[in-house]
Amino acid sequence: MDEAQSVIIDGEKVAIAETFEVIDPARGEPFARCPAATPAHLDAAVAAARRAFPAWAAASLDERAERLNRIADAVEADKEALAVLLSSEQGKPRASALGEIGAAIGWMRATAALRPPVEVIQDDDKLRIEVHRKPLGVVASITPWNHPVLIATWHIMPALMAGNCVVVKPSSFTPLSTLRLVELANAHLPPGVLNSVTGEGGLGRAMTGHPGIDKVVFTGSTPTGRNIMSNAANTLKRLTLELGGNDAAIVLPDADVDAIAPVIFAKSFGNSGQTCAALKRLYVHESLHDALAEKLAALARAARVGPASDPESQFGPLQNKAQFDLVRELADDARAQGGKFLAGGAANGEKGYFFPLTVVTEVSDGMRIVDEEQFGPILPIIRYSDVEDALARANASENGLGGSIWSSDIKRAEALARRLDCGTAWVNDHSSISPAAPFGGAKQSGIGVEFGHWGLEEYMQVQTVRIAR
Ligand code: NDP
């Protein structure tokens, strides 16, 4: 079994005797151990971050940016080893792991280029009013298991760029790549500016109620988001919550089936469907339904699902047993209710949490496969005849992360896209994001946004300065 990585507190690797197992999802067996930090370690990490905060907050934006760029260089130099670690614990094929790390490096550099605005509201002979933005203090980052390196980057880098110090706690399913990321970053940061803690159960909750933490940034499930919000209320912590989605896509009758099928396939099944803004409900006009469903099924049947150790693998397993069991349950429920499986539908009993890419038709709203976030490689296709009805069904969800319209008539598609109740609406695309554009959820998909200056400002307190003349 691999050597345990170390948590980093106050710039130092801390030896922790207690460890927990990290499972290789391709085998369903442990392959490494990870340190199990205690509440005392968390207290030490928060105290170190608080000590480091005044000097880090006072550092110039250019100095902070330079350090972020050096971290990006360090991750670039280490990316092959980091990709092995990421694939081992998350299950994604090596090329996908390298893609995730490449995206993280790009995001680091883009974040380093951000500068918070200073606004002048009034400037006359009586009064000058300026609006400034100041860092908040100590930020707790709690990350999930689907894109551990990229999501930790999305949390940590803008928090640091804004002048905050950070304590990051990765998911206990995928802690190792984050520990490595924090170690690489610490070589380019003053001690205490970025700290890591890892542990199963309880540690995240301790962070969200910790009096020394000013803000929590969390990506994960909506139920955990609700818990965090209520637990953070006592100390009125600032929150950014990026929660679950059940994104709908609507294909209009004039869409070009051949052109859109590969894009819809990639946006539904990338990372084996384990992406918050993956396309999860596909509403297709009855005139195109059979043709598009068959094309998607053919792509799914041809895809190679396998372990990261096989260079031919295009899609990995589900990351953990609970997620595997949920996907199986949703497929069985759809089957029991008359769902027709054009591809996949059942695990073949091999070792690990592998589930084939699955396309299911003859399903509708009111069934679990459509109403619940599957977070796995299973795409329900729902036939519709009236666009207004499809739009109403797309919007009839407590989630509101993303949504998309697919059509050859861009003007009409854009008008419909803007009527989707969600944080990001795409036309002839889905789930694509960029570091300059804000991303966040409407309704119960979250609070606040990430990326661009909007994301940076989430890590800052507005301060109005009024100068009487
Ligand atoms: P969770 O939301 O439970 O876990 C995500 C992170 O939150 C982990 O680091 C976890 O720590 C931590 N955590 C758990 N409970 C608390 C708490 N009370 N207070 C503070 N932190 C906490 O995700 P799951 O792993 O349980 O996945 C469940 C579902 O979440 C999936 O089926 C999927 O639908 C959704 N999900 C959404 C993601 C997204 O990107 N929006 C990503 C991953 C999952 P620990 O590991 O120690 O429990």
Side-chain angles (χ1 to χ4, degrees):
M1 208 167 309
D2 285 11
E3 281 277 296
Q5 304 258 326
S6 298
V7 303
I8 295 207
I9 297 175
D10 208 10
E12 300 288 337
K13 287 187 174 183
V14 176
I16 298 179
E18 277 293 296
T19 58
F20 61 91
E21 288 177 342
V22 183
I23 307 285
D24 167 5
R27 291 186 298 125
E29 287 168 4
F31 77 100
R33 303 197 67 86
C34 181
T38 62
H41 292 113
L42 174 61
D43 288 344
V46 173
R50 290 227 80 84
R51 280 195 302 278
F53 174 61
W56 183 247
S60 71
L61 284 158
D62 287 348
E63 183 192 335
R64 296 202 291 256
E66 197 202 316
R67 288 178 185 269
L68 258 61
N69 280 318
R70 294 214 307 253
I71 294 169
D73 294 342
V75 174
E76 177 82 53
D78 191 66
K79 68 181 177 196
E80 296 293 336
L82 189 57
V84 171
L85 205 50
L86 176 56
S87 286
S88 307
E89 64 179 2
Q90 206 286 332
K92 63 184 69 187
R94 198 60 42 78
S96 310
L98 281 167
E100 175 174 339
I101 294 164
I105 293 165
W107 240 277
M108 288 174 194
R109 298 201 193 286
T111 307
L114 294 173
R115 296 291 179 274
V118 177
E119 292 158 283
V120 178
I121 306 298
Q122 185 177 337
D123 189 21
D124 54 34
D125 49 2
K126 288 203 176 69
L127 187 63
R128 181 174 166 93
I129 306 178
E130 298 172 351
V131 178
H132 292 256
R133 286 168 178 83
K134 299 168 61 161
L136 296 168
V138 176
V139 172
S141 150
I142 302 177
T143 61
W145 42 259
N146 52 345
H147 300 284
V149 171
L150 188 55
I151 293 176
T153 297
W154 288 346
H155 290 186
I156 293 168
M157 296 303 153
L160 294 183
M161 192 57 211
N164 303 283
C165 295
V166 175
V167 180
V168 58
K169 190 206 80 64
S171 165
S172 46
F173 290 123
T174 53
L176 304 176
S177 51
T178 306
L179 289 181
R180 180 79 189 133
L181 178 69
V182 171
E183 188 183 335
L184 290 168
N186 258 273
H188 304 282
L189 293 170
V193 168
L194 174 60
N195 310 272
S196 53
V197 288
T198 43
E200 287 179 302
L203 204 56
R205 190 170 166 76
M207 291 172 96
T208 61
H210 200 291
I213 287 173
D214 301 286
K215 176 183 172 105
V216 177
V217 51
F218 168 75
T219 302
S221 65
T222 298
T224 301
R226 289 191 196 105
N227 281 336
I228 288 176
M229 197 168 176
S230 83
N231 203 34
N234 272 349
T235 42
L236 277 180
K237 292 190 200 319
R238 276 46 181 169
L239 295 175
T240 300
L241 304 176
E242 207 270 86
L243 307 178
N246 194 7
D247 286 14
I250 301 175
V251 179
L252 302 187
D254 68 353
D256 176 344
V257 169
D258 288 335
I260 66 174
V263 189
I264 290 182
F265 174 78
K267 301 302 179 172
S268 306
F269 292 106
N271 206 40
S272 297
Q274 302 166 110
T275 296
C276 51
L279 194 167
K280 291 174 182 143
R281 295 179 283 156
L282 183 62
Y283 292 87
V284 184
H285 189 264
E286 56 192 359
S287 59
L288 306 180
H289 177 279
D290 293 356
L292 181 56
E294 193 35 63
K295 280 213 177 330
L296 289 169
L299 290 167
R301 288 191 297 261
R304 180 100 177 227
V305 179
S309 55
D310 177 353
E312 302 288 304
S313 298
Q314 297 168 304
F315 299 88
L318 274 303
Q319 198 282 325
N320 58 73
K321 171 102 175 31
Q323 202 60 40
F324 173 73
D325 288 343
L326 173 68
V327 168
R328 228 169 22 174
E329 227 178 76
L330 294 178
D332 290 347
D333 187 70
R335 188 175 293 106
Q337 300 205 49
K340 185 173 159 200
F341 288 83
L342 303 187
N348 66 10
E350 66 193 313
K351 241 180 160 186
Y353 309 136
F354 291 101
F355 199 90
L357 304 195
T358 296
V359 173
V360 55
T361 59
E362 310 313 324
V363 290
S364 67
D365 309 73
M367 293 187 190
R368 288 188 63 193
I369 188 74
V370 178
D371 293 354
E372 291 182 28
E373 178 181 34
Q374 315 97 13
F375 219 72
I378 180 162
L379 179 68
I381 304 183
I382 308 122
R383 192 190 307 268
Y384 78 85
S385 53
D386 172 49
V387 169
E388 287 300 321
D389 175 51
L391 195 66
R393 284 148 78 185
N395 283 337
S397 167
E398 68 176 26
N399 295 118
L401 197 54
S404 57
I405 306 287
W406 301 73
S407 169
S408 299
D409 179 345
I410 301 296
K411 261 198 145 51
R412 181 176 181 221
E414 189 198 337
L416 285 167
R418 291 180 54 186
R419 291 172 60 202
L420 288 166
D421 296 337
C422 55
T424 303
W426 290 271
V427 170
N428 293 332
D429 194 8
H430 202 110
S431 76
S432 300
I433 48 175
S434 73
F439 176 78
K443 299 191 277 186
Q444 295 197 35
S445 285
I447 292 182
V449 294
E450 300 186 88
F451 316 150
H453 72 84
W454 300 268
L456 187 70
E457 288 167 32
E458 295 261 336
Y459 295 94
M460 307 192 91
Q461 170 69 45
V462 165
Q463 184 180 50
T464 303
V465 178
R466 294 176 63 101
I467 305 160
R469 287 191 161 128

